[in-house]
Amino acid sequence: METKHFAGLLNLSTPRPDTDIIKSSDSSYGPKIQPKKTTRRVQMRQHDENAAQPGIQKKSRMKLSDLFDSMEHINEQPRQQCEKAKVKQLAKGGNNKRYGKKGPENKRPFVNGISPQFHAAQTEDDHLIGDFSKAYCLPLERGKHQELKYISCTTLARLLRGGYQDVVQQYQIVDCRYPYEYAGGHIKGAYNLYKEEHISDTFLKNATHPKSTTLLIFHCEFSSERAPKLCRLLRNLDRNANRYPHLHYPELYILKGGYKEFYEKFKGFCEPRGYVNMLHKDFSDQLRQYHRKNKTCHIRTVRKELFKPLYSNKCTVLKKDPAKD
């Protein structure tokens, strides 16, 4: 018998795996092989190699500003829109000229998509009286409240001397201080009206002087609180009593600086020549009474508005006839 000789001895302890079996087997069976994590040195080496090669670019962080359009691009968009609008307007104007029509004239260009005509109209309306019929007769000053119109003490003194007769037909000065202040000294010819009821009764209900041509000048001690409050009240009552924009008293003024400043500069137009402060210690009791009355009146008006029934003017109550019962 012939015996087969083996070239080498088999190592039975470490059997060789079959590659075909490994390829055909499912990866879900058996343990998963995880790649080793690269060390810090390997990462630095790869970074240096990529930097040395010109074709490969380095990774860089992206800023949020790079994701959006730049400010120049954002600002260019309204400019392009304005240019397109101008081209369309020119084209329309040319077509209108062809057909014998007049195109729009004196139109201002758009700035960043916003027309300045609206802002110009607002600034022009600031110099017009309440019904927008004409400009203010007296020179205006800047004051504490922007919505109100102020005049200086010099302007009022000139008006008392007989100035502005060509533009002012009739005027009335309203002193909004308390009676003890008014008695201590006031401007000649001024009315002492310090309550809301006085304003409505004098100028709207029982008016004796002609309206719409009368200038009203309000003032208190400093013209900071009481005079502006009553001036706004009259304008609101006047708006409610008329159809917009018509008003009985479209021209209202506030004396800048109040009676204090006027008395310091023009004592000759005050009678009697004196000045009593609102917080004078001799009239502290009267001041408390006036403050209490103002608080109670304010609370009553608030209660009326809160508990006012809805549609009170339109609702009708049906009464039963006793004969039918």
Side-chain angles (χ1 to χ4, degrees):
M1 294 179 67
E2 295 180 359
T3 58
K4 296 181 179 179
H5 297 278
F6 296 97
L9 297 173
L10 292 173
N11 190 1
L12 299 175
S13 62
T14 56
R16 295 179 180 178
D18 192 356
T19 57
D20 298 334
I21 296 172
I22 293 172
K23 291 179 181 179
S24 63
S25 62
D26 190 4
S27 61
S28 61
Y29 298 99
K32 295 181 180 179
I33 301 171
Q34 296 181 355
K36 294 182 179 180
K37 296 182 179 179
T38 58
T39 58
R40 180 69 176 171
R41 293 180 180 178
V42 175
Q43 291 178 358
M44 294 295 293
R45 192 183 302 165
Q46 291 178 357
H47 178 74
D48 296 338
E49 291 176 357
N50 294 335
Q53 296 179 5
I56 302 175
Q57 297 180 355
K58 295 190 294 183
K59 294 182 179 180
S60 61
R61 294 182 179 179
M62 184 178 291
K63 297 180 181 180
L64 291 175
S65 60
D66 297 337
L67 299 176
F68 303 97
D69 296 334
S70 62
M71 294 302 296
E72 295 178 357
H73 179 66
I74 294 171
N75 292 331
E76 285 178 359
Q77 289 181 356
R79 293 178 184 175
Q80 293 175 359
Q81 294 177 0
C82 296
E83 291 177 358
K84 290 180 181 179
K86 289 179 182 178
V87 172
K88 290 181 180 179
Q89 289 178 1
L90 292 173
K92 289 181 179 179
N95 294 332
N96 292 335
K97 287 180 180 179
R98 290 178 186 177
Y99 294 101
K101 297 179 181 179
K102 293 183 179 180
E105 298 178 355
N106 298 328
K107 283 195 174 181
R108 299 183 181 180
F110 286 81
V111 180
N112 290 333
I114 301 174
S115 175
Q117 292 180 355
F118 180 72
H119 301 286
Q122 284 185 343
T123 55
E124 290 175 359
D125 292 346
D126 291 342
H127 297 284
L128 299 178
I129 61 177
D131 58 357
F132 312 109
S133 60
K134 62 177 183 178
Y136 282 90
C137 299
L138 303 179
L140 301 176
E141 300 285 337
R142 290 185 179 180
K144 180 180 178 180
H145 305 277
Q146 296 181 359
E147 72 277 8
L148 302 176
K149 305 303 176 184
Y150 288 79
I151 60 171
S152 63
C153 297
T154 306
T155 303
L156 180 58
R158 183 181 174 184
L159 187 64
L160 292 171
R161 292 192 187 101
Y164 305 105
Q165 292 183 358
D166 54 341
V167 291
V168 178
Q169 297 182 8
Q170 190 173 358
Y171 66 92
Q172 184 61 52
I173 303 172
V174 181
D175 193 337
C176 304
R177 298 179 299 162
Y178 296 130
Y180 65 88
E181 297 176 84
Y182 180 83
H186 59 272
I187 302 173
K188 293 181 180 180
Y191 284 147
N192 184 214
L193 307 174
Y194 63 96
K195 289 184 179 180
E196 297 180 357
E197 296 81 5
H198 296 166
I199 297 295
S200 60
D201 294 342
T202 304
F203 296 111
L204 296 177
K205 294 181 180 179
N206 303 323
T208 56
H209 47 273
K211 303 176 183 179
S212 72
T213 58
T214 304
L215 311 185
L216 298 182
I217 303 170
F218 291 80
H219 79 85
C220 54
E221 185 176 0
F222 304 103
S223 293
S224 60
E225 295 296 333
R226 291 179 283 179
K229 179 182 176 182
L230 295 180
C231 183
R232 290 195 196 97
L233 174 69
L234 178 60
R235 176 53 55 87
N236 293 333
L237 294 174
D238 205 354
R239 287 288 185 199
N240 295 331
N242 293 280
R243 187 176 180 180
Y244 186 85
H246 299 289
L247 291 169
H248 292 311
Y249 303 95
E251 201 161 354
L252 305 178
Y253 296 97
I254 302 291
L255 179 62
K256 187 177 180 179
Y259 180 77
K260 181 180 182 299
E261 184 176 344
F262 187 85
Y263 176 75
E264 292 174 353
K265 294 181 178 180
F266 306 99
K267 296 181 181 179
F269 291 104
C270 301
E271 56 179 9
R273 293 188 180 183
Y275 168 52
V276 176
N277 188 8
M278 183 185 73
L279 301 177
H280 199 281
K281 58 184 179 180
D282 295 341
F283 303 97
S284 57
D285 296 337
Q286 298 184 22
L287 181 62
R288 290 195 199 98
Q289 293 179 1
Y290 293 132
H291 282 181
R292 287 175 186 174
K293 291 179 181 179
N294 291 335
K295 287 182 180 179
T296 54
C297 293
H298 179 67
I299 292 170
R300 288 174 184 174
T301 52
V302 170
R303 285 178 179 175
K304 286 181 180 179
E305 293 296 331
L306 288 175
F307 299 101
K308 187 178 180 180
L310 297 175
Y311 307 103
S312 59
N313 295 329
K314 296 182 180 180
C315 294
T316 56
V317 180
L318 298 177
K319 297 182 179 179
K320 294 182 179 181
D321 296 335
K324 293 183 180 180
D325 296 338

